[in-house]
Amino acid sequence: MTFTVDEAIRIARAAHEGQVDKSGHPYIGHPLRVMDRVAGEHARMAAVLHDVVEDTSVTANDLLAAGCPPEVVRTVLALTHGEGEPQEQYLARVLTDPVAVVVKRADIADNTSPHRLAALDQATRDRLRAKYARALEILDGDG
């Protein structure tokens, strides 16, 4: 059986069940929107799964055991920001995987969308704008 985008969505939905974003909406909306911003099966799978290892109890081994392709798991791991890991170190790892770069750009685009930012207080908006502007500088090679 071939692992599909639908299977990746099922895993992400189950993993993020009960989680909410900063504005109180079901968290799964974020990875689904990120997925919708990218093209290709590898990128779409990695996009919908991009926060699963970082923010849930699902591990890379769990993804592999479910049949997720190893190259998708490698991209998910490139996108997994370790606890306490410096942003520059994390983004340097993202830059080693071209699909991770595409997904990270889509992630930043969703996180900085006017609709999402409008639901946050001004201090949080300002902090996130600065954080993601710096991330884009690094991804663009300007950092």
Side-chain angles (χ1 to χ4, degrees):
M1 181 178 119
T2 302
F3 191 86
T4 64
V5 171
D6 286 341
E7 183 62 11
I9 292 169
R10 187 196 65 72
I11 290 170
R13 282 188 186 282
H16 292 298
E17 181 68 34
Q19 292 180 334
V20 294
D21 65 16
K22 288 178 178 69
S23 60
H25 294 99
Y27 190 82
I28 189 61
H30 169 65
L32 290 171
R33 288 189 305 272
V34 173
M35 181 188 74
D36 286 342
R37 290 177 179 267
V38 300
E41 291 212 353
H42 179 163
R44 288 175 58 79
M45 287 180 202
V48 79
L49 294 169
H50 81 275
D51 282 334
V52 166
V53 173
E54 183 175 326
D55 294 337
T56 78
S57 62
V58 174
T59 67
N61 284 337
D62 293 334
L63 294 175
L64 291 168
C68 189
E71 62 272 15
V72 172
V73 175
R74 279 192 296 274
T75 299
V76 170
L77 290 175
L79 291 160
T80 300
H81 195 160
E83 188 174 338
E85 180 180 28
Q87 180 81 340
E88 289 76 13
Q89 182 179 331
Y90 161 65
L91 292 169
R93 186 176 57 256
V94 170
L95 282 167
T96 68
D97 183 322
V99 176
V101 173
V102 169
V103 173
K104 186 62 186 173
R105 287 180 183 283
D107 179 41
I108 291 170
D110 186 65
N111 283 330
T112 59
S113 70
H115 173 75
R116 287 198 75 194
L117 288 176
L120 304 173
D121 63 81
Q122 188 63 48
T124 302
R125 282 196 299 266
D126 292 345
R127 181 181 58 79
L128 291 177
R129 280 189 183 118
K131 171 186 169 181
Y132 292 126
R134 176 70 181 131
L136 289 172
E137 285 176 0
I138 293 169
L139 293 175
D140 290 341
D142 300 331

